[in-house]
């Protein structure tokens, strides 16, 4: 019952947030005016309706599940999975379309930018959509196969809402709309995180939501500041206007930019704003934690987007401010995360710190603001998402079989399918630690090569290599305790868990690892694609023109 | 066979033994052997070309953008190593088949072995330094699996981890070194790098690159100070030791030194680092080997010593040194693999490897004895075995080498090393096989089955043949390999007898001295055991433990789970970063004049401040705090009214009412006493942070509000287009349902999700341990006598239709006047809430049919459907349309906009969400013993019942819960 209070507070805060939406609208004017103008813009190309489909599909599927299927789990499973698969196909199709290099915008309500909200599909957003959808399919399979979805209500509806929120955040071209979708994905993730209940999980859930609501509040401050200076929140419009601000506005827009990056840093678990992550990820249900692997990437995505589009280093007001604070923080993040792998006492917590560490590497690459750095960041994003998700699923496989021993990193009697799970762990740990031959190593090579000309090159290289060693040692110790030491325990030792051998969880985990292998094998073409995306990101004019038209 | 295929074969074949193990260990060994033999065949087919001086290349693009390609090339050096890896690998497979117990997982073992073999082959065949790094770390990983194969042994697990840590560390250092090399040259192709030696040597990054690469090579080849991992890797099954520590793993470092020899050799830095490390390792390890009683430990240290010898030779930077080094690689591989296998045989047959418990096995195990003696004498450097030849070449080279102006130090070191080498090699033979037959062996020893001794026997034969006919047996190989190492044609001439040279004398001294040492072994051993020695394992463990403890301390210390601390850090970070950002940028103060100070805002401001301070002061009294929070909300609403924002004020006040009501209901179930308060210093800290943050934010708002927008804002456009294009006079509502309807769509979804999450949460709660606590709930507050007072019931009943009317009115006028679906939803929800509060949840719930979850689902769907409707008009999502209609009976013109459908969705979702939250709370209340009422009020004047009737009615009601959740249970 105590845990209900935060959710109530949350819903009231949501109401307040809605009021905030209104406040922003109110800022746009409260007078009632009557001005006649020309009719709204011409009809759009019907094909471009597909851009909103990644948001609409889950947004329609979820209420349908609540409305029609909430008494039938099988129906929910079928529709949820079908939705995820359809989403994956859709995202892949959109990505293929975006690969041609053109940027498509979608005017919601047919209002022109910057006055209405627009969605923008470019290579980056298409990539993130595909990554999310590609991740959601195995995660959903796992949730179904492991029966996690039976341990509470509305799992599939919340899951779809979560996808809606993530997709919306990736697609939007409007800073305030980004806030709205941050809220959608935050509240859905809270619902998913506490799925199944339990005192520890509830407690972690409260911390998660409180810390992230602080982040949301900060988001509103940031948007308020930026709007008060520039009078717009459309990203392309901001990009144009911020570049030519009067000199006297520099201080204030810098504050706005700084608050914004801090908001995204909270999402991206950048030290010292990472505190919410370890408890959240380690107490979330396994498949939910696996899905959350993409949540930190939303922070990284937002920083990359805002950094390349609105506040590039050529901006007089902000200059290299982003890189100046991002790089040191990223180095510390890398260190804290990887040291955490060695310092954690619980398997899930260890994986959570690995997720933090990977964000460090990712932010190092982003902080370069070079095509090579961005390409490395994108490759690493895909890699670290899949690797972390796989590790979380393997953690759940292990914990589910260890009964009262749970995820404690100490010896327990041998678990069912120990050899297979140990092998999966070995592969996923190699990928996460950045050992050859998997994509983690390639990602690290990309990052290291991209930082060859960085002033802090030796610090970066040193941090990457030394933390790799720490994570290797940490993973080796953990793996040895979890899977090897069981052989030293007298065969009489038995675990009080039924010996079940479900297939689907392994299929799901295998899919993620197969994704890592594919990312490794096809690293050449993938990197090529990422380079194209990085180049497109740096071509701000193309984005601005696509959204605002030729000026 | 293409080179890539040769390198890939072991990887491709690695899965086979794992699968075939089900068919028995013979099958597993057979497929492993077949894969190895196939790769060996492919390699040997290239022999004529390579020996003839050709270099074969194969290019496969992988990640050309970063210079990482699956390029392979085969020259003499690569051929030599590949031959050793595959040739000895094949012998190891045979040996392992008979060594391993049938009960062990042979399939797993051979899978790891093939993985390792593939990684090694990759190292020696690749033409790309980045690819080499890939294979390099793969050997670390696969050897980790091999060394830890006996998972039940603590030594095995620890040895595996130690090997992985040390060699992995070396690999990481090498990554940096190789990247630097590649950047200097502009290519990661080994063939290209080798051609740019001058460029590299001239680079300012030469020394760091060399050191970084050498750390990798030294760690892999167990050179001082990284030597300590190798003896601990002996916990592995003996076939692994024989393979890893004779021909493969530890030779990878040597291979790398040989491979990059043209790049580094000749520079004094190279000589002083490599030769010195090699010489020190050789002498130190040889001395330790003499005093090891465990046969495998003895051999392990002897391996370290011989690796030091070869390192020393490559470090000389001379052609003679390179030739000797290459030759000793061959010789060491042959005799050391044979020796490890004999040690394994002894262990297998006697169940001990302790030299002190052995002796006299000569007559019991004659075959093993013969093999061990041949290999042992070769290791000692006794003619006519092959070890003698290469050792002579080493001594010869050492004799002509000065070190920092001292001519005697290198020859002396080499002689001492050789002397110890003789001593431990002879000890291996003498203390195990010679001497009297004992009667206290753990088991009765005898020679093993032929399958087990055939492999070492083949190697021992090679030891003799190479010793007798060096040029015929190995000359061509040494020529090809040494030419490849030095990058120039060399023509070595190896003979058994090359006259009386300084090397011969050094050899004689070594053999005589070694024999003497062995004779004095017993007293020397006592002396050795009495001297304190640094224990590498203990030191390593201490370092790792220290690191793990430090990591744990740091991690747990930082993430201690206190949300108050996390938020404090968050606030400080935001404040500091914001202030820094502001003061590092230019700022010109705004030009807007200040508005005059009027009494109403001043009073409201003071009320707001007072309420806020009071919340902080009285927060432990939750009810009071809630009331105070309500005051704050009211003040904010008043501010909106004062600032002419009626829509906002309406929304704010409705939100306040709903949240306060729901929180009141929730507070009932919270403990009424305050939790442990923070200490005074912490409160002070938090106060300072809070006040500073507030001031910072206040300053920011002041700066923003006193200035004009830098550009015309988008709101001007909104005002201009609201009526004409969206059909609404209330711009705020038009923004909410049309201009930015997509935001609203997101927000109502948030509301719906929140309600669903609350419901799911309550459900989980009632299924968890909280359920028991609720069942045992004792109301901790005194309750009013009448739960459902008559006055409240009557008042709310009267209010209900009015509220509905007001809600409908607010909804309908929304587009043109303040109002809209959101506010209307809240108003209706409040009216409903009042009914529920007045007459209890069950009574009220029975009288309405809509399911709240359906309401939410339907609301979101309706909003989405309205938006999707635009698709059929060829317009984007949420494009609205409106028209004017004339209503009959002279009611006049009426405007209909599609946005109203959207607003209806908003309305439904809001009502559903609020009511679902209420339903969830009522579930908790019912579980806590709240009875279900049948009548609208506590005392219904129309129905006077006897006490029995009342009790029955309550029981019935409790038995049939009528709430929403019951249908799903």
């Amino acid at each position: 019952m105590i845990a209900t209070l935060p959710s109530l507070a949350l819903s009231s805060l949501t109401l307040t947030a809605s009021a905030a939406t209104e406040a922003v609208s109110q800022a746009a004017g409260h007078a009632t005016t009557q001005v006649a103008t020309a009719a709204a813009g011409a009809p759009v190309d019907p094909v471009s309706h597909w851009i909103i489909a990644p948001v609409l599909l889950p947004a329609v599927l979820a209420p349908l599940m609540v409305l029609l299927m909430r008494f039938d789990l099988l129906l929910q499973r079928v529709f949820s999975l079908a939705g995820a698969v359809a989403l994956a196909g859709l995202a892949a199709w959109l990505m293929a379309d975006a690969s041609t290099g053109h940027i498509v915008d979608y005017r919601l309500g047919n209002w022109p930018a910057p006055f209405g909200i627009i969605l923008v599909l470019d290579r980056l957003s298409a990539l993130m959509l595909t990554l999310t959808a590609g991740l959601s399919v195995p995660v959903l399979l796992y949730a179904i196969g492991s029966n996690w979805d039976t341990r509470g209500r509305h799992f599939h509806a919340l899951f779809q809402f979560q996808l809606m929120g993530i997709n919306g955040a990736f697609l939007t071209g409007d800073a305030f709309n980004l806030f709205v979708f941050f809220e959608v994905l935050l509240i859905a993730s809270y619902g998913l995180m506490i799925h199944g209940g339990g005192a520890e999980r509830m407690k972690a859930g409260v911390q998660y939501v409180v810390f992230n609501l602080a982040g949301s509040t900060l988001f509103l401050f940031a948007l308020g500041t930026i709007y008060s200076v520039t009078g717009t929140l459309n990203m392309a419009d901001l990009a144009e206007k911020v570049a030519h601000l009067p000199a006297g506005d520099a201080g204030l827009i810098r504050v706005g930019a700084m608050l914004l990056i801090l908001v995204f840093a909270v999402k991206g678990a950048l030290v010292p704003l990472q505190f919410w992550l370890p408890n959240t990820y380690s107490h979330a249900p396994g498949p939910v934690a696996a899905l959350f692997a993409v949540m930190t990437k939303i922070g990284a995505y937002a920083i990359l987007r805002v950094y390349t589009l609105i506040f590039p280093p050529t901006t007089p007001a902000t200059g290299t401010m982003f890189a100046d604070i991002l790089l040191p923080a990223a180095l510390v993040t890398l260190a804290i995360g990887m040291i955490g792998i060695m310092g954690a006492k619980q398997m899930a917590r260890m994986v959570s710190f690995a997720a933090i560490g990977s964000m460090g590497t990712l932010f190092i690459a982003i902080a370069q603001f070079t095509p090579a750095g961005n390409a490395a960041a994108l490759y690493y994003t895909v890699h670290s998402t899949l690797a972390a998700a796989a590790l979380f699923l393997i953690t759940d496989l292990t914990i589910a079989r260890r009964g009262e021993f749970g995820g404690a990193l100490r010896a327990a009697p041998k678990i069912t399918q120990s050899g297979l799970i140990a092998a999966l762990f070995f592969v996923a740990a190699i990928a996460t630690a950045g050992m050859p031959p998997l994509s983690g190593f390639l990602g690290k090579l990309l990052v290291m090569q991209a930082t060859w000309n960085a002033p802090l090159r030796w610090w970066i290289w040193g941090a990457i290599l030394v933390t790799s060693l720490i994570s290797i040692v940490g993973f080796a110790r953990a793996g040895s305790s979890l899977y090897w030491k069981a052989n030293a325990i007298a065969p009489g030792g038995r675990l009080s868990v039924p010996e079940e051998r479900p297939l689907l969880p392994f299929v799901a985990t295998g899919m993620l690892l197969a994704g890592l292998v594919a990312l490794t094998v096809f690293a050449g073409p993938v990197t090529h694609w990422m380079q194209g995306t990085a180049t497109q990101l740096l071509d701000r004019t193309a984005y601005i023109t696509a959204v605002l038209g030729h000026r | 066979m293409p080179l890539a295929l040769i390198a890939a074969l072991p990887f491709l074949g690695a899965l086979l033994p794992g699968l075939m193990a089900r068919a028995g260990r013979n099958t597993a060994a057979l497929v492993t052997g077949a894969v190895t033999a196939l790769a060996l065949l492919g390699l040997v087919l290239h022999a004529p070309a390579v020996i003839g001086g050709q270099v074969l290349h194969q290019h496969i693009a992988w990640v050309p953008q970063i210079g990482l390609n699956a390029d392979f090339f085969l020259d003499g050096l690569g051929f030599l190593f590949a031959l050793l890896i595959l040739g000895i690998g094949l012998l190891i497979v045979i040996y392992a088949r008979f060594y391993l117990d049938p009960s062990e997982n042979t399939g797993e073992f051979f899978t790891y072995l093939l993985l390792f073999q593939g990684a090694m082959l990759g190292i020696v065949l690749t033409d790309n330094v980045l690819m080499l790094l890939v294979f390099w770390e793969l050997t670390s990983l696969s050897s980790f699996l091999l060394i830890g194969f006996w998972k039940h042994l603590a030594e095995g697990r620890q040895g595996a981890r130690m090997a992985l840590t040390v060699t992995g560390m070396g690999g990481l250092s090498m990554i940096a070194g190789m990247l630097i090399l590649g950047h200097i040259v502009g290519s990661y192709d080994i063939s290209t790098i080798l051609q740019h030696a001058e460029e590299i040597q001239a680079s300012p990054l030469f020394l760091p690159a060399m050191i970084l690469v050498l750390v990798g090579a030294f760690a892999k080849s167990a050179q001082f100070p990284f030597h300590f991992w190798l003896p601990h890797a002996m916990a592995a099954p003996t076939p692994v030791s024989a393979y890893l520590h004779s021909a493969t793993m530890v030779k990878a470092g040597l291979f790398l030194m040989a491979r990059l020899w043209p790049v580094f050799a000749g520079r004094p830095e190279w000589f002083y680092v490599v030769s010195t490390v090699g010489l020190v390792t050789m002498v130190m390890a040889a001395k330790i080997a003499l005093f090891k009683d465990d046969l495998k430990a003895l051999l392990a240290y002897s391996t370290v010593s011989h690796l030091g010898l070869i390192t020393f030779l490559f470090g000389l930077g001379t052609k003679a040194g390179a030739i000797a080094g290459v030759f000793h690689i061959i010789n060491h591989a042959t005799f050391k693999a044979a020796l490890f296998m004999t040690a394994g045989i002894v262990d297998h047959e006697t169940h001990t490897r302790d030299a002190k418990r052995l002796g006299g096995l000569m007559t019991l195990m004659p075959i093993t004895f013969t093999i061990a003696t041949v290999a042992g004498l070769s290791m000692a450097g006794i003619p006519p075995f092959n070890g003698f030849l290469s050792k002579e070449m080493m001594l010869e080279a050492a004799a002509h080498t000065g070190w920092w102006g001292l001519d005697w130090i290198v020859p002396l070191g080499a002689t001492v090393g050789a002397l110890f080498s003789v001593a431990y090699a002879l000890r291996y033979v003498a203390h195990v096989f010679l001497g009297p037959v004992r009667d206290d062996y753990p088991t009765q020893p005898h020679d093993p089955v032929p399958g087990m001794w055939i492999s070492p026997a083949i190697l021992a034969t090679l030891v003799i043949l190479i010793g007798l006919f060096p040029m015929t047996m190995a000359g061509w190989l040494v020529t090809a390999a040494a030419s490849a190492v030095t990058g120039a044609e060399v023509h070595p001439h190896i003979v058994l007898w090359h006259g009386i040279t300084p090397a011969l004398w050094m050899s004689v001294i070594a053999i005589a001295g070694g024999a003497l040492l062995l004779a004095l072994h017993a007293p020397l051993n006592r002396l050795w055991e009495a001297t304190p020695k640094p224990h590498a394992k203990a030191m390593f463990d201490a370092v790792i433990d220290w690191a793990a403890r430090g990591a744990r301390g740091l991690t747990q210390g930082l993430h201690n789970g206190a949300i108050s601390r996390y938020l404090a850090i968050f606030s400080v970070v935001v404040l500091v970063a914001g202030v820094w950002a502001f003061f590092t940028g230019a700022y010109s103060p705004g030009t807007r004049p200040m508005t005059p100070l009027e009494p109403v805002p001043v009073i409201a401001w003071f009320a707001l401040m007072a309420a806020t301070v009071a919340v902080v002061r009285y927060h432990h009294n939750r009810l009071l705090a809630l009331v105070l929070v309500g005051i704050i909300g009211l003040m904010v609403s008043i501010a909106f009214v004062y600032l002419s924002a009626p829509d906002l004020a309406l929304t704010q006040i409705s939100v306040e009412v709903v949240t306060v009501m729901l929180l009141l209901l929730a507070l009932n179930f919270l403990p009424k006493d305050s939790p442990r308060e923070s200490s005074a210093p912490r409160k002070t800290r938090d106060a300072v942070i809070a006040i500073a943050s507030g001031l910072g934010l206040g300053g920011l708002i002041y700066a923003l509000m006193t200035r004009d927008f830098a550009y015309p804002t988008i709101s001007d456009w909104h005002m201009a287009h609201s009526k004409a294009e969206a059909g609404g006079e209330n711009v705020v509502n038009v923004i909410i349902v049309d201009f930015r309807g997509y935001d609203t769509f997101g927000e109502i979804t948030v509301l719906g999700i929140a309600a669903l999450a609350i419901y799911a949460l309550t459900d989980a709660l009632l299924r968890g341990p909280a359920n028991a606590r609720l069942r045992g709930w004792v109301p901790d507050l005194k309750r009013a006598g009448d739960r459902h007072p008559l006055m409240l019931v009557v008042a709310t009943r009267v209010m209900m239709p009015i509220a509905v009317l007001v809600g409908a009115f607010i909804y309908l006028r929304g587009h043109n006047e303040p109002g809209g679906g959101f506010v209307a939803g809240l108003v209706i929800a409040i009216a409903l809430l009042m009914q529920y509060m007045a007459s209890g949840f069950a009574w009220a719930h029975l009288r309405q049919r809509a399911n709240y979850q359906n309401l939410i689902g339907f609301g979101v769907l309706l909003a989405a459907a309205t938006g999707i409707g635009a698709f059929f008009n060829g317009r984007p999502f949420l494009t609205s349309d409106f028209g004017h209609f004339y209503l009959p009976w002279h009611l006049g013109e009426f405007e209909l906009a599609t946005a109203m459908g959207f607003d209806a969705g908003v309305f439904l979702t809001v009502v559903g969400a609020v009511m679902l939250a209420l339903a969830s709370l009522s579930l908790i209340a019912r579980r806590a013993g709240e009875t279900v009422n049948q009548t609208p009020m506590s005392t219904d004047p129309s129905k006077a019942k006897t006490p029995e009737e009342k009790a029955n009615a309550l029981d019935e009601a409790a038995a049939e819960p009528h709430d929403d959740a019951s249908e799903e249970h």
Side-chain angles (χ1 to χ4, degrees), chain A residues 27 74 103 143 200 221 229 305 333 352 358 376 383 394 447 470 547:
Chain A
L74 182 67
I103 299 171
E200 284 293 304
F221 291 167
V229 175
R305 175 69 81 200
T333 306
S352 306
S358 72
H383 152 76
I394 293 161
V447 175
I470 296 173
V547 173

Side-chain angles (χ1 to χ4, degrees), chain A residues 12 28 37 70 154 174 249, chain B residues 659 707 715 725 740 853-854:
Chain A
S12 69
T37 47
R70 66 174 185 276
H154 292 312
D174 185 282
D249 281 334
Chain B
T659 45
R707 70 199 299 107
S715 58
E725 290 179 34
R740 297 190 72 94
Q853 293 171 77
N854 286 352

Side-chain angles (χ1 to χ4, degrees), chain B residues 215-257:
Chain B
V215 167
F218 286 171
K220 202 69 143 187
S221 283
Q223 294 301 294
F224 180 82
F226 307 113
H227 60 283
F228 56 89
W229 69 266
L230 195 146
H232 292 284
M234 291 300 139
T238 303
V240 174
S241 313
Y243 195 36
L244 265 59
H245 306 134
S246 66
T248 53
M249 170 107 154
V250 294
K251 293 277 168 70
L254 300 180
F255 168 80
L256 191 70
M257 287 184 243

Side-chain angles (χ1 to χ4, degrees), chain B residues 927-942:
Chain B
R927 200 58 62 93
E930 184 79 43
T931 50
V932 174
N933 55 310
Q934 291 286 293
T935 51
M937 38 197 123
S938 289
T939 43
D940 189 341
S942 67

